[in-house]
């Protein structure tokens, strides 16, 4: 069996595992994602580069990791991201410039992989380690958004990927909640200075938010200093800098109360 055939077989197994994790039928997914979509689905030449690169990296990753849990997570990311990519191409959306999807030549003739392929491998590895499996959808959204944005430096994207991997799912949802702003008028409107004891849920969420502040992802809308958890006024939190980019790269995301209810319960209004 050739290396290509071996990678295709491993990719097929990874897709089957990912389909099972997502609860979708495997037949059509395996046929399209292993063989590649029909030419009419690919679109322009850059779209073909994007699709071919995704399949190549996915096949290589699939051949290197054989644990079922790993295959489920990485297969799910691949299915979700590929589905979104095909949909955007069919909708006429243009991927970023072709150079992002082509190998790069450096000094002394050294050839580096395409930035898109490096970033996809990083996305797969983040999925492999995602014990909070609800991050899988966020990772798929991240990669899809990056490959359709020419205004985002690849090194900055790699840093944002490291945040997706290191932050908890609840911290990432806090970024979404703050970025959306829809809950900010329904929660506590003062900080926690001199407020007495904290509930266990408040302690956890406040310290998670404070880490986001220290990472310069979140700030106070009035530019007030946040030097500790007691200085946090939940209703005045806003995203800044990389926090805004992180929010954009996780979209679109349909949340229900099970996802964001902790934020409401931790910061109920004071009457």
């Amino acid at each position: 069996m050739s290396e290509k055939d071996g990678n295709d077989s491993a990719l097929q197994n990874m897709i089957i595992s990912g389909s099972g994790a997502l609860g979708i039928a495997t037949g059509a997914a395996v046929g399209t994602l292993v063989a590649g979509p029909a030419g009419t689905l690919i679109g322009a030449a850059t779209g073909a580069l994007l699709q071919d690169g995704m399949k190549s990296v996915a096949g290589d990753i699939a051949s290197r990791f054989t644990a079922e849990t790993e295959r489920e997570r990485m297969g799910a990311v691949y299915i979700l991201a590929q589905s979104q990519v095909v949909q955007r191409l069919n909708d006429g959306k243009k991927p970023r410039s072709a150079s992002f999807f082509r190998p790069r030549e450096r000094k002394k003739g050294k050839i580096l992989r395409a930035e898109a392929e490096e970033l996809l491998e990083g996305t797969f590895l983040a999925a492999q380690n995602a014990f909070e499996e609800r991050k899988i959808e966020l990772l798929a959204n991240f990669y899809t958004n990056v490959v359709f944005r020419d205004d985002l430096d690849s090194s900055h994207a790699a840093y944002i990927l490291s945040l997706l991997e290191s932050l908890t799912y609840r911290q990432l949802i806090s970024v979404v909640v703050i970025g959306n702003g829809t809950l900010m008028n329904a929660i506590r409107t003062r900080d926690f200075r001199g407020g007495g004891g904290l509930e266990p849920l408040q302690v956890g969420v406040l310290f998670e938010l404070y880490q986001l502040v220290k990472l310069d992802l979140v700030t106070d809308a009035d530019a007030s200093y946040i030097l500790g958890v007691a200085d946090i006024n939940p209703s005045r939190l806003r995203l800044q800098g990389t926090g805004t980019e992180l929010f954009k790269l996780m979209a679109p995301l349909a949340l229900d109360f099970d996802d964001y209810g902790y934020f409401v319960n931790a910061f109920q209004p004071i009457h």
Side-chain angles (χ1 to χ4, degrees), residues 3-195:
E3 181 179 353
K4 178 183 181 302
D5 290 340
N7 284 358
D8 282 352
S9 177
L11 177 56
Q12 177 174 327
N13 289 333
M14 188 175 82
I15 292 169
I16 291 172
S17 296
S19 298
L22 293 171
I24 61 176
T26 62
V30 171
T32 299
L33 295 176
V34 175
T40 55
L41 292 177
I42 294 176
T46 304
L49 284 173
L50 165 56
Q51 300 263 79
D52 290 345
M54 288 184 71
K55 180 186 172 186
S56 175
V57 174
D60 177 62
I61 284 287
S63 68
R64 287 159 48 190
F65 298 95
T66 58
E68 182 61 21
T69 301
E70 295 174 336
R71 291 194 305 188
E72 287 178 356
R73 295 169 183 168
M74 293 188 290
V77 161
Y78 183 56
I79 291 169
L80 293 172
Q82 181 75 302
S83 175
Q84 291 186 60
V85 165
V86 169
Q87 184 61 56
R88 293 195 188 189
L89 291 174
N90 284 343
D91 289 343
K93 302 291 175 60
K94 294 182 180 180
R96 48 193 300 165
S97 60
S99 60
F100 185 71
F101 304 99
R102 290 192 174 119
R104 297 159 288 161
E105 184 173 348
R106 289 296 184 260
K107 292 180 180 179
K108 300 181 181 179
K110 182 178 180 181
I111 302 298
L112 300 178
R113 287 188 304 164
E115 293 168 297
E117 294 184 11
E118 290 182 343
L119 200 62
L120 181 57
E121 179 173 344
T123 304
F124 278 130
L125 295 178
Q128 176 209 359
N129 294 318
F131 62 90
E132 290 186 290
E133 294 184 346
R134 289 179 294 177
K135 284 187 179 183
I136 297 300
E137 182 181 358
L138 306 182
L139 290 165
N141 290 352
F142 162 80
Y143 186 76
T144 304
N145 285 317
V146 168
V147 298
F148 283 90
R149 281 190 53 181
D150 244 335
D151 63 335
L152 185 67
D153 176 75
S154 60
S155 292
H156 194 188
Y159 172 63
I160 294 173
L161 177 58
S162 75
L163 292 174
L164 274 164
E165 188 168 12
S166 62
L167 295 175
T168 66
Y169 178 76
R170 195 161 74 175
Q171 285 177 304
L172 294 171
I173 296 304
S174 292
V175 169
V176 174
V177 169
I178 296 168
N180 283 334
T182 54
L183 296 178
M184 307 315 276
N185 292 326
I187 58 175
R188 180 187 177 109
T189 57
R190 54 171 290 186
D191 59 40
F192 289 84
R193 299 187 191 104

Side-chain angles (χ1 to χ4, degrees), residues 242-259:
T242 298
T244 302
E245 293 295 348
L246 175 60
F247 169 66
K248 292 177 181 177
L249 292 175
M250 290 191 290
L253 198 61
L255 300 179
D256 55 33
F257 193 78
D258 287 340
D259 294 302

Side-chain angles (χ1 to χ4, degrees), residues 193 206-207 210 213 225-233:
R193 299 187 191 104
L206 282 170
F207 274 96
Y210 186 51
V213 171
Y225 288 112
I226 301 177
L227 302 178
V229 295
D231 298 325
I232 293 176
N233 178 339

